[in-house]
Amino acid sequence: MNGAKVELRGLRRNFAGTLALDGLDLTIEPGELIAFLGPSGCGKTTALRCVAGFEQPDEGAVLVDDKDITRVPANKRDAGMVFQSYSLFPNLSIKDNVAFGLRVRKVAAAKRHARAQELLELIGLPHIGERFPHQLSGGQQQRVALARALALEPRVLLLDEPLSALDAKVRISLRDEIRRLQLSLGITTIFVTHDQEEALSMADRVAVLRAGRLEQVADPATLYDRPATPFVAEFVGTMNRIPGRVSGDKVTVLGQLLPVDGEVPATPDVEVLVRPEAVQVTPDAEAIGMVLVSSFRGSTARLRIQLGDTEVLADVPGHDTTRLAPGTRVRVSLVERPVLVSAAAPQAQSATVEGLVPQHDVV
Amino acid sequence: MAALTPEGPMAPLTPPAMTVADGPTAPTGQGRRRRIRVWRGVILAIAAVYFLVPLLASFMFTVKAPEQDFSLDAYGQIFTTEGFGQSLLLSIGLGVATIVVVLLLTLPAMLAVRLSMPKLKPVLEVVCTLPLVVPPITFVAGINTVLQFGPDYLASTPFYQTIFAIQDENFPVVLVLAYVILALPFVYRALDAGLGAIDVRTLVEAARNLGASWPHLIFRVIVPNLRSSLASASFLTLALVLGEFTIASLLHFQTFPVWIYTISGSQAQVSVAVSVFSLLITWLLLLALSSAGARQRSGS
Amino acid sequence: MSAPSEVRTAAPRGGRTRSKSWLATVPLLAFVVLIFGVPLVIILGGTFKREGAFSAANITESVQGAYLTAMIGSVKLSALVAVVGALLGTFLAQAVVTSRFRMLREAVLTASGVLSNFGGIPLAFAWIATLGNSGVITSALGLDSVGWSLYNFWGLALVYLYFSVPLMVVVVVPALDGLRPQWREAAQNNGANTWQYWRHVGIPVLTPTLLGGVVLLFGGAFAAYATAAAMVGGTVPLVTLQIANALSGNVLIGHENVALALSLDMIIVAGLVMAVYLPLQRRSARWLR
């Protein structure tokens, strides 16, 4: 079993006035695990459903190994899919669920049961074949759904937020499990998620979607370190927005002059996007900065620092927390390297910083 | 979940279920969708004809007059026909009494079982569902026999007086007793759904913790939270009593349906007019009930 | 907090309530035993008594001759109404559930709620006014000249469907709503076509509900008396009409208890059918959670 190449060409899909896909172009290499990442409504699920055949694009084409399958009905496509939740057939035993596709293809009972058993062993649940879906935990159900999706040896595996309904702990173990299986089978896999941590930790490449368009596609490290646009920068990981002023291709921020990376906005007043780990903090009784809150995370600690009328998040080594306790006066500086900027959004400052903290933490 | 999964604006475009099978040449989505729409339209049209024609025809039947094309006389005559007010009032009175008795019997029992004897729940469920198994006509056969026993065996005991008293023509208590039994399955199911939807135990514990007494608790905490299921239990009971013919006619009491039947021989138009009228009333009651339920849901 | 309530809340939780709470169930249970149980016992006792002595004569008589015909007629009519009503109700429900118009759905569900309760005398009169001998449609279409009559077995079935189909809609809509779109898509994804999805998943999942609906419809049609009495009087043999007849004294002297024997027969048939229903309902509740 090896993976197929999947191409999305100019996919466009309109739902009663809402543009779900707005000309999406993307090539997925054989054997690759690509994550579609984006906020609700960005079109990632629609794109996946176009590949599965549950959705017909208004324009554009889906190609698998250079063959146009856009008009092939869903039940004739060579792609296994795992749904968000509760997709196991409740009236069939686990074994029969896994063997469903083989039964539809009229494979002999003995053969399909043997194959089902093989798959149950593959997902590490060899003893549950006789049980029914409602007797399994959510994590077990999703494993079985994965086994069912793999039963017909598809050349493409589609995962539609398969972990989002699970407990945090199960989620992490299952995501490693999926990645392990995917690598050993070498199957081309599209993984839809809104959880950037999931996307970054599992995928070979991450495609960030926004309003039906591809914002950036890159490997996780590039995406994190060199986001192509402010949207990606903000959606992936935590980001500070610090007021700055552009002059030429440089920007002055916190008293430092740093080169601007990427596009330079027309207005001189900008916000400079800086990762918390690119913020350096040193105790200094004379400085204006003050530590407000310190949350310890083991190897690092995240500080919330008051800096005049803005707040800045900074990640410092965990052992520094004692000398950077809340109330400590600190000097703040940025690591010397090119930074991304975006046009200032007046009201966004504090709201964005606070809003980002709980949602998009990367530890 | 991404916003564009089926709950979104997509739902109308992809009917989630269909029964037209794929042909060997898989039709395009468009063609299949059109076939499904046609099929659905046919079913709905047949249903509309079947369910609406008798209603319209009944109405036309009542407005036919020998000399005119249209006359609402039959509806006017309803109110002047002898026995109308009396039998309607009797049926409404029986309905109200039945609602009160059945709720007073079931609500405390169901609360007690839910709160402190969950093991008894299946027993209560079976007891309250049993009347479904016994057709009213057989029930009345039994009741009738019991009532006839009275004079034979109990003449010397106070039971005789009781049996005599419950058959008072002006307010036959025996019908209330029988209707409570008939209503039990429906009331039980409505209340059980309501009790299942609220966490009674937590409500009770919270209220007790705040020092509420039991009566206060029941009328100020439990009942308001059960408002919609109490309303639907009451509605079903009322509808049942207002329409019940079998028991009343075989025990010879002139309730509303029995009255309709009695006048049908001499005044066919009026009896049909009353039938149409009673359906309208049921409809209005149900609409009032469902809008009350909707209000409560949106309020909470 | 006042002193007495303090005392009460301080009591071991549940201890006092538990010991007394069974009292709340006593009125209900006593009522059911007295008002429901006693007549049932009387039916049972009376069935096996003729002219003051223990005898199986009543029960024997109740399964012979005209009584047997009536019982068979009732079962046939109820079975027909149950199966046809369940099928039509399911199709109607499916048509409504898959419709894009929310208003249509609401309207049909409300109407079904009302019509499923629309039985008895008014229903009979509505149909008599429509398709009876001098009914509006009968005269409009000249049906009387082609020998049409509403007052027979098929006419009764047509009228019984008027409350049976809506009842089926009420029963089956939640089950159809419970069919998750993921199941259909997962089936398609595994190569199943629409028919295969219904055969292996859709219909099996719905089966408990459908059978439960059939049972409910059967029970409703089997027990119906008023509609039949108003429509056909005695021309269609039905067990309910026979019981009413016997109760009204139209039996041989000394054979009064045949009505009780017939009642017992009915309860046994209805009980057997209902016994199928409860376990089925539990099963479908688990699947459609």
Side-chain angles (χ1 to χ4, degrees):
Chain A
M1 185 153 43
N2 59 352
K5 183 171 85 171
V6 179
E7 262 178 279
L8 311 181
R9 278 196 197 152
L11 287 186
R12 209 174 278 276
R13 184 76 172 96
N14 195 340
F15 293 123
T18 316
L19 212 53
L21 291 177
D22 185 14
L24 179 64
D25 285 297
L26 186 61
T27 303
I28 300 150
E29 300 300 333
E32 177 182 42
L33 194 160
I34 193 164
F36 285 4
L37 177 67
S40 291
C42 70
K44 58 191 190 298
T45 295
T46 311
L48 187 81
R49 291 170 62 84
C50 284
V51 178
F54 300 134
E55 218 40 81
Q56 290 283 321
D58 300 329
E59 279 173 46
V62 179
L63 287 83
V64 173
D65 279 346
D66 301 318
K67 225 182 85 194
D68 188 342
I69 60 155
T70 318
R71 300 290 152 192
V72 174
N75 59 343
K76 305 250 161 57
R77 294 195 184 188
D78 188 17
M81 177 144 168
V82 178
F83 296 81
Q84 199 168 10
S85 58
Y86 304 115
S87 70
L88 296 184
F89 308 126
N91 58 317
L92 298 180
S93 70
I94 295 310
K95 202 173 60 187
D96 290 338
N97 259 287
V98 174
F100 184 86
L102 299 166
R103 185 164 167 200
V104 165
R105 296 193 179 182
K106 309 218 162 38
V107 173
K111 209 170 159 193
R112 64 175 192 250
H113 288 158
R115 172 75 179 140
Q117 188 56 36
E118 203 178 292
L119 283 157
L120 289 177
E121 275 159 25
L122 188 69
I123 56 161
L125 296 171
H127 304 301
I128 60 160
E130 303 302 326
R131 287 197 223 164
F132 282 84
H134 68 94
Q135 296 168 308
L136 303 189
S137 70
Q140 287 174 324
Q141 289 191 20
Q142 287 306 75
R143 279 166 193 251
V144 174
L146 182 64
R148 183 178 63 184
L150 293 171
L152 294 175
E153 306 191 14
R155 303 186 58 217
V156 181
L157 180 62
L158 307 173
L159 308 170
D160 184 9
E161 307 207 25
L163 308 177
S164 63
L166 304 177
D167 294 340
K169 218 170 185 168
V170 183
R171 201 153 59 206
I172 289 173
S173 77
L174 198 47
R175 113 185 152 194
D176 295 347
E177 179 86 12
I178 291 175
R179 179 58 162 159
R180 183 183 63 77
L181 267 176
Q182 186 269 336
L183 284 174
S184 73
L185 298 173
I187 184 170
T188 311
T189 302
I190 304 177
F191 186 107
V192 163
T193 180
H194 61 261
D195 181 340
Q196 42 117 356
E197 186 191 340
E198 221 166 80
L200 295 180
S201 62
M202 287 174 76
D204 294 311
R205 284 194 301 160
V206 178
V208 179
L209 274 71
R210 177 197 193 186
R213 286 172 164 280
L214 189 62
E215 194 80 4
Q216 182 179 10
V217 55
D219 63 275
T222 310
L223 201 70
Y224 189 80
D225 288 335
R226 307 195 52 80
T229 67
F231 175 81
V232 174
E234 208 172 301
F235 194 75
V236 177
T238 307
M239 196 57 92
N240 287 304
R241 288 171 158 267
I242 308 169
R245 204 173 164 81
V246 174
S247 46
D249 58 354
K250 304 233 167 175
V251 61
T252 312
V253 54
L254 298 182
Q256 281 172 277
L257 191 62
L258 299 174
V260 172
D261 191 10
E263 230 179 292
V264 182
T267 52
D269 285 316
V270 293
E271 286 180 340
V272 181
L273 306 175
V274 185
R275 297 268 183 221
E277 60 268 31
V279 178
Q280 295 165 322
V281 185
T282 13
D284 182 347
E286 311 291 297
I288 56 156
M290 187 174 75
V291 178
L292 291 176
V293 182
S294 158
S295 45
F296 183 67
R297 301 163 173 214
S299 59
T300 64
R302 174 156 294 177
L303 306 181
R304 182 186 286 256
I305 297 160
Q306 173 102 49
L307 208 60
D309 52 5
T310 51
E311 284 180 11
V312 173
L313 296 177
D315 283 354
V316 298
H319 53 77
D320 274 355
T321 41
T322 40
R323 57 192 198 105
L324 294 169
T328 313
R329 287 276 167 194
V330 289
R331 187 164 28 114
V332 173
S333 58
L334 305 179
V335 177
E336 291 279 349
R337 65 181 207 191
V339 291
L340 277 168
V341 298
S342 76
Q347 82 289 3
Q349 286 184 0
S350 62
T352 317
V353 172
E354 278 171 31
L356 276 176
V357 175
Q359 282 171 15
H360 303 295
D361 269 0
V362 174
V363 181
Chain B
M1 188 194 294
L4 289 163
T5 39
E7 289 77 13
M10 195 161 86
L13 296 167
T14 49
M18 53 206 79
T19 57
V20 182
D22 274 331
T25 55
T28 66
Q30 286 298 321
R32 199 168 68 180
R33 243 170 261 156
R34 192 169 313 123
R35 256 197 292 159
I36 290 155
R37 210 171 296 156
V38 168
W39 165 87
R40 186 191 296 141
V42 169
I43 296 239
L44 290 173
I46 294 173
V49 167
Y50 176 69
F51 286 105
L52 292 180
V53 162
L55 299 179
L56 294 175
S58 305
F59 181 72
M60 281 159 69
F61 185 85
T62 58
V63 298
K64 244 182 350 190
E67 306 295 314
Q68 305 154 263
D69 287 340
F70 182 85
S71 154
L72 285 173
D73 281 357
Y75 289 89
Q77 281 172 39
I78 292 177
F79 303 97
T80 55
T81 305
E82 197 196 331
F84 166 76
Q86 218 177 346
S87 62
L88 183 59
L89 282 181
L90 175 60
S91 276
I92 291 175
L94 290 173
V96 172
T98 306
I99 291 170
V100 171
V101 175
V102 78
L103 290 181
L104 283 180
L105 286 175
T106 48
L107 193 55
M110 291 178 72
L111 273 178
V113 165
R114 233 167 221 276
L115 287 176
S116 50
M117 303 173 287
K119 281 192 189 131
L120 267 183
K121 193 171 175 244
V123 178
L124 199 65
E125 190 175 337
V126 167
V127 165
C128 290
T129 315
L130 266 185
L132 272 187
V133 181
V134 177
I137 187 98
T138 65
F139 188 37
V140 74
I143 293 177
N144 197 35
T145 316
V146 174
L147 296 180
Q148 280 166 5
F149 267 8
D152 297 347
Y153 296 93
L154 306 168
S156 55
T157 67
F159 286 112
Y160 178 60
Q161 300 294 329
T162 315
I163 284 193
F164 191 71
I166 62 172
Q167 295 184 71
D168 179 357
E169 212 171 87
N170 293 320
F171 195 80
V173 176
V174 65
L175 287 186
V176 174
L177 301 179
Y179 293 165
V180 167
I181 295 292
L182 294 192
L184 262 186
F186 306 103
V187 171
Y188 177 84
R189 223 176 293 164
L191 293 187
D192 192 48
L195 287 170
I198 60 173
D199 186 353
V200 189
R201 177 175 286 279
T202 307
L203 272 183
V204 168
E205 282 170 3
R208 297 289 286 163
N209 184 256
L210 294 169
S213 65
W214 273 106
H216 183 92
L217 176 71
I218 291 199
F219 289 103
R220 292 294 174 78
V221 180
I222 305 281
V223 169
N225 276 296
L226 283 178
R227 205 169 47 195
S228 85
S229 63
L230 284 172
S232 83
S234 306
F235 164 77
L236 289 170
T237 307
L238 190 65
L240 186 144
V241 174
L242 287 182
E244 206 289 323
F245 174 78
T246 312
I247 295 178
S249 82
L250 287 169
L251 294 179
H252 307 292
F253 294 112
Q254 189 83 343
T255 59
F256 192 55
V258 178
W259 173 78
I260 303 180
Y261 184 63
T262 317
I263 61 159
S264 68
S266 53
Q267 287 164 285
Q269 269 194 324
V270 177
S271 66
V272 174
V274 178
S275 300
V276 173
F277 196 65
S278 69
L279 185 66
L280 277 181
I281 290 178
T282 325
W283 205 290
L284 287 179
L285 269 175
L286 192 73
L287 279 182
L289 183 77
S290 65
S291 63
R295 235 195 340 272
Q296 190 190 12
R297 268 195 302 282
S298 62
S300 58
Chain C
M1 200 186 276
S2 65
S5 60
E6 237 169 307
V7 173
R8 249 177 298 156
T9 42
R13 186 214 242 183
R16 263 181 57 157
T17 13
R18 186 163 299 133
S19 62
K20 268 164 64 183
S21 59
W22 61 272
L23 280 173
T25 63
V26 168
L28 176 67
L29 297 178
F31 186 93
V32 172
V33 166
L34 189 68
I35 308 297
F36 188 61
V38 168
L40 286 188
V41 172
I42 296 284
I43 289 176
L44 195 63
T47 299
F48 294 102
K49 204 161 76 178
R50 177 167 288 188
E51 287 160 357
F54 180 84
S55 155
N58 294 316
I59 200 95
T60 318
E61 194 180 332
S62 76
V63 291
Q64 284 176 352
Y67 294 131
L68 179 64
T69 315
M71 179 57 87
I72 291 173
S74 276
V75 170
K76 257 165 56 184
L77 178 63
S78 314
L80 175 75
V81 167
V83 172
V84 174
L87 281 177
L88 297 181
T90 306
F91 283 128
L92 179 57
Q94 172 74 354
V96 170
V97 165
T98 58
S99 163
R100 304 172 272 174
F101 303 107
R102 258 211 100 67
M103 285 293 290
L104 178 77
R105 182 195 160 98
E106 293 303 317
V108 171
L109 282 182
T110 311
S112 297
V114 175
L115 293 177
S116 62
N117 284 309
F118 184 49
I121 297 296
L123 174 66
F125 286 163
W127 278 91
I128 290 171
T130 308
L131 278 168
N133 287 344
S134 56
V136 172
I137 302 294
T138 315
S139 11
L141 301 181
L143 290 176
D144 38 354
S145 60
V146 296
W148 164 259
S149 170
L150 182 68
Y151 311 128
N152 55 32
F153 181 86
W154 300 104
L156 270 187
L158 181 71
V159 174
Y160 280 16
L161 284 175
Y162 201 76
F163 60 81
S164 300
V165 172
L167 182 59
M168 191 65 192
V169 171
V170 171
V171 169
V172 85
V173 160
L176 289 175
D177 282 341
L179 287 181
R180 298 175 185 276
Q182 297 98 297
W183 295 341
R184 163 185 292 278
E185 289 177 352
Q188 275 182 305
N189 186 251
N190 276 267
N193 59 30
T194 307
W195 159 241
Q196 284 166 325
Y197 159 73
W198 280 107
R199 185 173 110 77
H200 294 300
V201 182
I203 293 173
V205 169
L206 289 178
T207 298
T209 313
L210 296 180
L211 285 181
V214 168
V215 167
L216 271 187
L217 264 54
F218 181 93
F222 192 60
Y225 162 72
T227 311
M231 268 178 62
V232 299
T235 58
V236 176
L238 292 178
V239 68
T240 47
L241 299 176
Q242 291 285 10
I243 293 176
N245 217 8
L247 282 180
S248 317
N250 295 329
V251 281
L252 297 172
I253 301 288
H255 290 215
E256 292 83 1
N257 283 359
V258 166
L260 300 183
L262 282 169
S263 300
L264 187 62
D265 295 344
M266 267 194 98
I267 293 173
I268 290 170
V269 172
L272 285 177
V273 174
M274 280 286 172
V276 181
Y277 174 60
L278 288 177
L280 283 179
Q281 202 196 21
R282 227 159 265 151
R283 191 161 175 202
S284 73
R286 205 176 55 204
W287 279 351
L288 297 171
R289 213 170 13 187

